[in-house]
Amino acid sequence: MRKITTLFALVFASILVVSAQSQVKQFSLKSKLLGVEKEYSVYLPEGYDKSKENYPVLYLLHGAKGTHFSWLEPNRGNMQEIADKAIAAGGAKAMIIVMPNASGTGEKNAGKNMGYFNVENWPYEEFFFQEFIPHIDKKFRTIASKDGRAIAGLSMGGGGAFVYAQRHPEMFCAAYSTSGLLDHRYRPQIPDYYDIGWLYSVAQTSPVEYLRNATAEEVEKLRSVRWMLDCGDDDKIIFTNIDFFLEMKREDIPVELRVRNGKHNWAFWRKSLPGILKFAFR
């Protein structure tokens, strides 16, 4: 009888371990501004479905030619496993992680409508702040305030994260860019560079140029955000990251920079993710 009881206890315990896990779910939002249904993915930490507490939210942005799945794919970001381990080990707070979709409609998720900024007939940035964030705060148990909201991203998404935090510093407590496309100084060898919508939008919204032209009032607001950027030493985009860091230093805005061995690839960004999670709400 004792053996049966022990066996039952072990089986029951194993069921608890299996069921008590984080969740990743897919949703969509009908955007009036964009006129389309926009998909997104959400990571809900272990215990979310059983608790009544509110959680901080990290908006995690993908790069060019990516989607809201990119950070989740095991051979790319492997986000769920990395987040589970970081939170369980105490290296990050339990949080909701929201991955919006800023992919294009062309081949390999590129082309038309790719990116985080407003372009002709596609006001994505307006959608993000006027529709998307309010939708997330309504649908999930979020800490719907500056202290409970952070933003991060890779490459194109790193640039998006910094631009959003510069333009809306009242919305985010922290911003993290990994291998961020932060200025138009880095120009891929593409004919008619500025005829490509999202590249032109990158040039028009450069976080580096923003700092060079910022007023004293804007600079002061930027000090209310914690800033971190990292980049690989073999990444061509490192020049724009150093430019950003230097401009922040010139304005005496606290910022952290990490340069590690690596290139512009998922191997580098996976190693960045634990730091992103820790930095967001440390």
Side-chain angles (χ1 to χ4, degrees):
M1 183 66 180
R2 183 176 296 176
K3 289 183 178 180
I4 295 175
T5 303
T6 302
L7 179 62
F8 176 79
L10 290 172
V11 172
F12 183 70
S14 67
I15 292 173
L16 285 178
V17 170
V18 171
S19 62
Q21 294 179 336
S22 65
Q23 304 173 63
V24 171
K25 298 185 176 182
Q26 315 302 323
F27 299 95
S28 65
L29 163 65
K30 177 65 177 179
S31 169
K32 293 181 180 179
L33 287 168
L34 301 178
V36 298
E37 196 91 8
K38 288 302 291 181
E39 306 87 359
Y40 63 95
S41 299
V42 173
Y43 168 93
L44 300 174
E46 178 182 335
Y48 176 88
D49 55 341
K50 296 181 180 180
S51 74
K52 295 183 179 180
E53 66 179 292
N54 289 11
Y55 292 81
V57 183
L58 169 65
Y59 288 87
L60 189 60
L61 311 186
H62 65 77
K65 299 182 180 180
T67 72
H68 57 299
F69 294 118
S70 298
W71 275 109
L72 294 168
E73 294 173 17
N75 63 331
R76 291 189 172 186
N78 197 26
M79 188 278 295
Q80 186 175 13
E81 180 179 339
I82 291 173
D84 286 349
K85 289 180 178 178
I87 293 171
K93 288 187 176 181
M95 68 183 79
I96 297 169
I97 303 175
V98 177
M99 290 149 282
N101 187 10
S103 62
T105 59
E107 186 179 355
K108 296 182 179 180
N109 304 306
K112 185 179 179 181
N113 298 341
M114 185 178 77
Y116 296 98
F117 311 123
N118 295 342
V119 295
E120 188 176 0
N121 299 320
W122 190 253
Y124 189 93
E125 186 175 347
E126 293 177 29
F127 154 76
F128 193 92
F129 287 93
Q130 296 178 25
E131 294 182 329
F132 189 57
I133 288 180
H135 167 80
I136 295 297
D137 286 337
K138 183 177 180 180
K139 188 173 182 65
F140 302 97
R141 295 197 313 277
T142 67
I143 299 175
S145 66
K146 175 183 175 74
D147 291 341
R149 192 182 295 117
I151 190 165
L154 68 89
S155 193
M156 177 183 79
F162 273 14
V163 170
Y164 282 5
Q166 284 180 330
R167 292 184 173 184
H168 307 272
E170 76 286 354
M171 295 290 289
F172 304 104
C173 65
Y176 193 120
S177 167
T178 178
S179 306
L181 184 57
L182 304 181
D183 196 14
H184 56 86
R185 174 177 170 182
Y186 167 73
R187 301 182 183 184
Q189 299 303 308
I190 299 173
D192 302 319
Y193 178 86
Y194 288 120
D195 287 341
I196 299 173
W198 80 271
L199 288 173
Y200 180 72
S201 72
V202 168
Q204 293 295 100
T205 56
S206 162
V208 177
E209 288 299 320
Y210 182 94
L211 288 168
R212 289 171 179 160
N213 297 290
T215 65
E217 182 180 0
E218 289 169 337
V219 167
E220 186 59 34
K221 289 180 179 179
L222 296 181
R223 295 193 178 105
S224 71
V225 181
R226 290 184 293 105
W227 301 88
M228 166 76 88
L229 65 162
D230 70 9
C231 194
D233 55 3
D234 294 319
D235 192 331
K236 293 180 181 179
I237 288 180
I238 193 171
F239 298 107
T240 64
N241 282 253
I242 293 173
D243 287 344
F244 180 88
F245 178 76
L246 293 176
E247 291 300 328
M248 291 284 279
K249 286 296 185 181
R250 288 190 185 102
E251 293 291 354
D252 197 28
I253 303 170
V255 61
E256 296 181 51
L257 169 66
R258 301 290 182 271
V259 177
R260 294 184 284 112
N261 182 44
K263 300 180 180 180
H264 200 82
N265 57 29
W266 280 106
F268 184 87
W269 301 324
R270 278 194 302 273
K271 291 181 180 179
S272 295
L273 188 52
I276 292 173
L277 301 175
K278 180 178 181 179
F279 184 80
F281 305 107
R282 67 185 185 190

